[in-house]
Amino acid sequence: MIRLKSKQDIANLEEGGAILSRILGEIKAMVRPGVSSLELENTTNKLMKEAGGVPAFLGYAPEGNRKYPAALCMSVNEGIVHTPANIEYIVKEGEIVSLDLGFKYKGMITDMATSVIAGTADKKDEKLLETTKKCLEEAIKECQPGAPISAIGKRIESIAKGAGFFVIKELVGHGVGYDVHEAPVVLNYHDKNMDSVIMEEGLVIAIEPMLSLGSENIDVAEDSWTYITADKSRAGHFEATVAITANGPVIITPIV
Ligand code: MF3
Ligand code: CO
């Protein structure tokens, strides 16, 4: 069931989203060769507390699984999403670091992610991240009241394929706001079955394109949390929480 948000809910989401975007920007700026995931995890917890909110992922059980053990997801290289940042990892030169954060503020949850290369970047990796970001920016423009939700995935898939990259199809965006994951699912590719789901005023969704250099298939890593690409090729992830209003899309978590 889709739970539409009130104007007041959306105002609260915008407040929380602005804070989350600022915090993720600060965490992103800390990424460099030699940084430890623990530094980023600790800073995330500190900044969220100072801002008067709480981490939304810490203790959250995705799809009724075990409780997630960290505030921050920090997935590296072939890691696509869901690597707990409380497992120590030291970032190395040229690695792709994807950072995913959820924030609960005034009772409302916002969700966003970004990817960055530590130190000197490989050209192909750079293009992968630029394209993933572009997928998100263009997909947001499709978020108009009355438009089918499938327009989002259609746009993402066409941009990704046009640039020669692969869309991770098994991992999806989602409704968000009262909970971390709500209906509807937001696919990163076009599925005709979703053409009949129409976006309405008050819908709040997390759009999260995940692209890779070599495969659309996934596996679970040895840490039992991380989704990795099946061929171990590198991946990028960008995510924003977006509200559909009468005036069109409102980006709740400005992209960093
Ligand atoms: N942004 C992540 C997602 O949409 C949320 C991760 S939930 C976690 O899947 F608890 F597993 F971190
Ligand atoms: Co999400």
Side-chain angles (χ1 to χ4, degrees):
M1 190 193 55
I2 295 176
R3 293 184 286 172
L4 298 175
K5 275 71 187 179
S6 68
K7 290 213 164 75
Q8 183 58 52
D9 289 339
I10 292 176
N12 290 341
L13 282 163
E14 282 189 86
E15 253 186 74
I19 297 169
L20 179 61
S21 173
R22 191 223 345 125
I23 292 175
L24 186 60
E26 289 187 37
I27 301 299
K28 182 179 185 180
M30 290 173 70
V31 173
R32 57 183 154 70
V35 78
S36 162
S37 60
L38 298 180
E39 275 175 72
L40 304 185
E41 170 69 14
N42 293 339
T43 306
T44 297
N45 278 287
K46 176 173 152 277
L47 293 176
M48 286 188 172
K49 197 170 176 193
E50 280 171 6
V54 293
F57 300 162
L58 184 65
Y60 172 73
E63 291 161 15
N65 279 324
R66 294 156 299 158
K67 288 184 178 174
Y68 196 73
L72 173 69
C73 307
M74 191 189 96
S75 308
V76 179
N77 296 339
E78 72 270 19
I80 309 162
V81 287
H82 293 186
T83 312
N86 68 324
I87 300 170
E88 180 155 44
Y89 184 87
I90 308 291
V91 173
K92 292 178 278 304
E93 181 78 34
E95 291 190 321
I96 295 182
V97 178
S98 295
L99 304 163
D100 190 348
L101 273 184
F103 187 48
K104 188 169 186 180
Y105 185 78
K106 294 195 174 174
M108 301 300 291
I109 291 170
T110 50
D111 185 4
M112 75 179 295
T114 192
S115 294
V116 61
I117 298 166
T120 312
D122 180 273
K123 280 274 166 289
K124 236 209 236 139
D125 293 344
E126 212 161 57
K127 186 166 176 233
L128 174 70
L129 300 196
E130 270 168 23
T131 306
T132 311
K133 186 178 184 185
K134 182 148 202 275
C135 284
L136 175 57
E137 289 166 343
E138 295 300 315
I140 290 170
K141 297 179 188 163
E142 303 290 343
C143 295
Q144 304 294 338
I149 201 159
S150 58
I152 294 171
K154 200 173 183 176
R155 193 102 185 91
I156 291 171
E157 187 174 27
S158 117
I159 295 169
K161 285 194 173 157
F165 299 125
F166 294 79
V167 170
I168 308 297
K169 292 187 170 171
E170 281 176 69
L171 302 173
V172 299
H174 49 92
V176 66
Y178 301 135
D179 213 338
V180 176
H181 291 139
E182 297 178 19
V185 294
V186 181
L187 302 179
N188 288 316
Y189 60 96
H190 185 226
D191 179 350
K192 282 202 286 252
N193 295 322
M194 297 299 278
D195 288 350
S196 58
V197 180
I198 302 300
M199 293 185 271
E200 291 183 58
E201 195 182 334
L203 178 69
V204 177
I205 51 178
I207 302 175
E208 45 183 320
M210 288 156 264
L211 268 52
S212 89
L213 292 177
S215 174
E216 59 179 47
N217 299 319
I218 59 172
D219 274 323
V220 178
E222 275 170 20
D223 65 15
S224 79
W225 281 108
T226 305
Y227 286 109
I228 55 172
T229 56
D231 67 345
K232 305 273 175 77
S233 66
R234 290 184 168 198
H237 178 212
F238 278 79
E239 175 175 20
T241 297
V242 177
I244 286 77
T245 73
N247 302 323
V250 170
I251 304 176
I252 299 291
T253 58
I255 301 168
V256 296

